[in-house]
Amino acid sequence: MSSNIGSLAMDSSLSVRLVKSLTKYFNIFKVSLVERLAYRADFLLGTFLRLLPLVTTLLLWKAVYANKDEISGYTYRQVVAYLLLVHVSRMFSSMPGLASGIARDVRDGNLKRYLVQPLDLISYLLAYRMAHKVAYIITSIPLYSVIFFLCRDFFDAPPDPCWFCLYATALLMSFILGFAFEASLGMLGFWFLEISSFLYLVNTVNFFVSGHFLPLDLLDPWVAGILKVLPMQFMAYFPAALIMGKAGDWNDVVWGLGIEAAWCLGFLAMARGAYALGLRRYGGYGG
Amino acid sequence: MALKRSFASYLRLVAVFARFSLTREMAFRGNFVMKVLLELVWLGILLVFYRTLFRGVDSIAGWDSASFLFFLGCYYTLEGVVETLFLENFVEFSDLVRTGNLDLHLLKPIDEQFLLSIRLIDWSTVPKLFIGSGMMGVAVFQMGHPVSGWTLALFAALFVAGVSMAYSFLLILSSTAIWMVRNQSLMELWWLFSTLMRYPRDIYDVAWAWPVRMVFTFVLPALLVVSVPAEIVGKAILDPWWICWMLVSAIISLSGSRRIFIGSIASYRSASS
């Protein structure tokens, strides 16, 4: 009887702790969302400017397809649809400033604030980034709705609703993968004083190998084959190809989502492991 | 005579700035190597993209494979010149305004525009000049027709005009930092400007893109910066109207940006006071 009461008390204290912890990170999410929405004009201008290069890219592809109906299985309409959809993928997976922010906190000694407070760095950053993404997506919806409406002729008929569920899953996982990938890179700050150039290099390579620049299928088959083995393709190419029906049949897509989930877990584990190892050598100077 | 002496002293200053910047870069050799590597990666991406574009077609908007390579080489070299000489200075300009450190530069007995435009030279982008020139050389070889000295001279003049236009645009953008302390989105405008330069202007020959072409040819002539010089050699087009308009645009850009810069400096109130 007394052991039952003891285990009940333990259960309730565990659930109270869990609720408190979730409330804490939910509050971080709320504050970050309000902070982000305070700069919505700057935000909209930035989004608008990022779309203008898309116009030049579309014009270039129009010129490429002037005398050709299909290249490597893609028509002009499909390339345009892909380039628009890849913006949606990147909307979820891009994490500007995450890795450099972690490295800066390590270098400047500001990491101490996570160590002296009941806060877990990775959970805090995840909540913060989720808020940023929600704000970004909310403010981008009107603009993207107009663009997708104007470009509606480039898209084929909407696929089965089940495919939308798979697409949403791929996008959510691309957010987690983008976060975990950048967080892992940021942990390099524990071992190297200055990693900004390295991060810039990785981001540049990632921009290309993730399929942001062009559909990976248009590259030489052997290059495309290599790039489709890398995790970066899930940050841009895979979700876009999935909803366009270019990622294979149902089995291929489910298999692809499984691989994406494995990469997410792998990079989250890497970020956690690197953080734990990094803390062992962290001095906490400055700040 | 005084003008000549003044010109010589400014040239000497450029040499001193270059030496100082190189010393600074060599203090962080690893970072310097990484920056050079980054430029090479960009080049690799550019070339893979170029190769992919021409995998299925013979020409794009009237540019065949060799002439398009010349265009890319020209773009890469021009971007290299701007990044080597000016970009870092303009990126730092808004910081100088925000922190009040601009005061120190304004007190020096030298033209402010000259000092603020060229005091930092980015040596990591110098390889772009050689690689870009090499790409142009390979393209000319592939084109198989000789390029006369007269054409080369005209190309060089228009290339300088293109650099002047890009420089003027950067100067105007940076000048606005004095009125709007936070100009992060404005620097994104530079990225937009360079995106417009990246492809031949012929791709804008589409009905719905006509307004874009007009604005970026006559109001903010970003589409001319690389296209007009590259057309002279790459497509052997010698259109006097476009050549004149490019040169006139460069002169208007330089004088207009100088006026805006002086106007912005006049309204500078120093953050430290």
Side-chain angles (χ1 to χ4, degrees):
Chain A
M1 181 70 178
S2 64
S3 74
N4 277 349
I5 291 169
S7 80
L8 269 174
M10 258 177 65
D11 280 356
S12 93
S13 100
L14 194 71
S15 59
V16 167
R17 275 201 348 242
L18 187 70
V19 168
K20 274 188 175 169
S21 177
L22 283 177
T23 312
K24 180 171 66 185
Y25 290 111
F26 180 68
N27 285 334
I28 291 168
F29 172 83
K30 264 196 327 198
V31 172
S32 308
L33 187 63
V34 170
E35 178 212 62
R36 198 63 188 159
L37 287 173
Y39 295 104
R40 51 194 176 275
D42 190 58
F43 212 40
L44 273 173
L45 179 64
T47 310
F48 177 68
L49 291 179
R50 271 188 286 277
L51 283 171
L52 276 170
L54 182 69
V55 173
T56 57
T57 311
L58 298 187
L59 287 168
L60 177 72
W61 283 106
K62 188 162 180 62
V64 170
Y65 277 95
N67 301 312
K68 205 97 173 174
D69 293 331
E70 192 181 297
I71 300 171
S72 301
Y74 277 76
T75 61
Y76 170 61
R77 279 178 64 244
Q78 286 172 327
V79 169
V80 174
Y82 175 87
L83 292 171
L84 290 169
L85 286 167
V86 100
H87 270 261
V88 179
S89 307
R90 292 297 294 178
M91 201 191 282
F92 280 80
S93 65
S94 68
M95 299 285 153
L98 174 62
S100 55
I102 295 173
R104 193 175 50 242
D105 278 349
V106 172
R107 191 181 57 233
D108 300 346
N110 289 331
L111 195 74
K112 287 197 292 282
R113 65 188 153 138
Y114 301 103
L115 303 178
V116 296
Q117 293 178 54
L119 264 183
D120 169 56
L121 171 76
I122 294 178
S123 307
Y124 168 79
L125 289 175
L126 186 62
Y128 182 76
R129 286 286 159 173
M130 275 166 68
H132 274 215
K133 282 295 162 196
V134 169
Y136 181 60
I137 291 166
I138 288 172
T139 45
S140 304
I141 281 175
L143 187 64
Y144 276 95
S145 302
V146 172
I147 291 164
F148 275 75
F149 177 75
L150 291 175
C151 298
R152 62 191 180 281
D153 291 340
F154 292 105
F155 293 91
D156 293 325
D160 192 71
C162 287
W163 283 85
F164 273 113
C165 294
L166 295 176
Y167 180 54
T169 312
L171 287 177
L172 289 175
M173 282 202 288
S174 76
F175 165 75
I176 296 169
L177 183 62
F179 172 82
F181 178 73
E182 280 274 327
S184 305
L185 285 176
M187 298 305 167
L188 285 173
F190 282 109
W191 286 271
F192 301 96
L193 191 62
E194 179 55 62
I195 59 166
S196 56
S197 296
F198 175 73
L199 292 178
Y200 200 56
L201 181 70
V202 171
N203 284 333
T204 306
V205 173
N206 194 5
F207 182 68
F208 182 73
V209 301
S210 66
H212 192 159
F213 219 40
L214 77 177
L216 297 181
D217 310 281
L218 296 189
L219 296 167
D220 281 328
W222 66 272
V223 180
I226 293 171
L227 298 188
K228 284 183 188 177
V229 175
L230 301 177
M232 288 82 163
Q233 63 136 333
F234 294 106
M235 297 182 203
Y237 168 79
F238 182 71
L242 186 159
I243 198 67
M244 288 177 69
K246 293 274 184 190
D249 60 15
W250 179 268
N251 284 338
D252 294 329
V253 168
V254 172
W255 178 244
L257 287 172
I259 295 173
E260 187 176 2
W263 280 117
C264 287
L265 291 174
F267 274 106
L268 278 174
M270 192 190 291
R272 283 239 163 259
Y275 182 49
L277 281 176
L279 282 181
R280 282 193 207 165
R281 48 178 292 131
Y282 178 61
Y285 304 111
Chain B
M1 191 66 189
L3 189 72
K4 201 173 162 186
R5 213 170 35 236
S6 163
F7 183 72
S9 64
Y10 274 88
L11 270 186
R12 255 199 323 275
L13 269 174
V14 172
V16 171
F17 291 149
R19 210 167 48 239
F20 167 72
S21 302
L22 186 62
T23 311
R24 205 179 62 137
E25 288 276 24
M26 287 304 117
F28 305 98
R29 286 188 191 85
N31 196 48
F32 178 75
V33 170
M34 196 61 85
K35 278 158 76 180
V36 172
L37 200 62
L38 180 71
E39 295 305 336
L40 294 177
V41 166
W42 252 124
L43 173 72
I45 291 174
L46 203 64
L47 290 177
V48 171
F49 187 58
Y50 155 78
R51 188 182 144 82
T52 306
L53 289 180
F54 280 95
R55 264 186 80 209
V57 296
D58 297 326
S59 75
I60 297 170
W63 294 74
D64 63 16
S65 171
S67 57
F68 201 90
L69 183 66
F70 186 86
F71 180 93
L72 283 184
C74 185
Y75 163 75
Y76 199 71
T77 312
L78 193 138
E79 198 184 50
V81 172
V82 172
E83 285 177 5
T84 302
L85 297 177
F86 313 119
L87 194 60
E88 204 176 338
N89 296 285
F90 290 128
V91 169
E92 286 213 354
F93 185 75
S94 62
D95 272 345
L96 291 178
V97 174
R98 194 170 46 77
T99 56
N101 286 334
L102 186 63
D103 304 13
L104 299 171
H105 295 81
L106 296 181
L107 291 172
K108 299 214 162 69
I110 184 175
D111 184 84
E112 299 87 356
Q113 185 183 337
F114 170 80
L115 180 64
L116 292 165
S117 300
I118 208 167
R119 77 203 158 86
L120 300 170
I121 287 172
D122 188 353
W123 283 91
S124 66
T125 48
V126 169
K128 285 180 91 165
L129 311 183
F130 297 105
I131 295 169
S133 307
M135 282 163 74
M136 287 191 278
V138 170
V140 168
F141 180 74
Q142 284 180 353
M143 283 188 281
H145 59 79
V147 179
S148 68
W150 162 244
T151 307
L152 274 182
L154 192 57
F155 168 76
L158 290 170
F159 185 86
V160 172
V163 171
S164 309
M165 286 157 78
Y167 164 80
S168 305
F169 186 71
L170 272 173
L171 183 63
I172 293 169
L173 274 186
S174 300
S175 302
T176 59
I178 290 187
W179 295 300
M180 305 158 62
V181 176
R182 189 176 180 219
N183 74 339
Q184 202 174 346
S185 289
L186 288 169
M187 283 318 289
E188 283 197 39
L189 275 168
W190 162 247
W191 184 59
L192 165 69
F193 191 81
S194 65
T195 305
L196 290 164
M197 296 171 354
R198 197 172 298 155
Y199 306 124
R201 58 187 174 136
D202 309 77
I203 66 167
Y204 294 83
D205 282 340
V206 180
W208 63 267
W210 184 81
V212 180
R213 181 167 180 157
M214 286 297 116
V215 168
F216 291 107
T217 299
F218 296 107
V219 183
L220 189 68
L223 292 181
L224 307 182
V225 173
V226 180
S227 282
V228 174
E231 281 167 7
I232 301 251
V233 179
K235 290 175 89 176
I237 294 176
L238 282 167
D239 187 332
W241 200 94
W242 284 117
I243 293 168
C244 288
W245 174 236
M246 172 109 185
L247 295 172
V248 168
S249 297
I251 293 166
I252 293 173
S253 306
L254 280 175
S255 60
S257 61
R258 170 123 183 125
R259 275 169 185 269
I260 291 171
F261 175 77
I262 290 171
S264 71
I265 291 292
S267 54
Y268 175 63
R269 291 290 175 268
S270 175
S272 56
S273 57

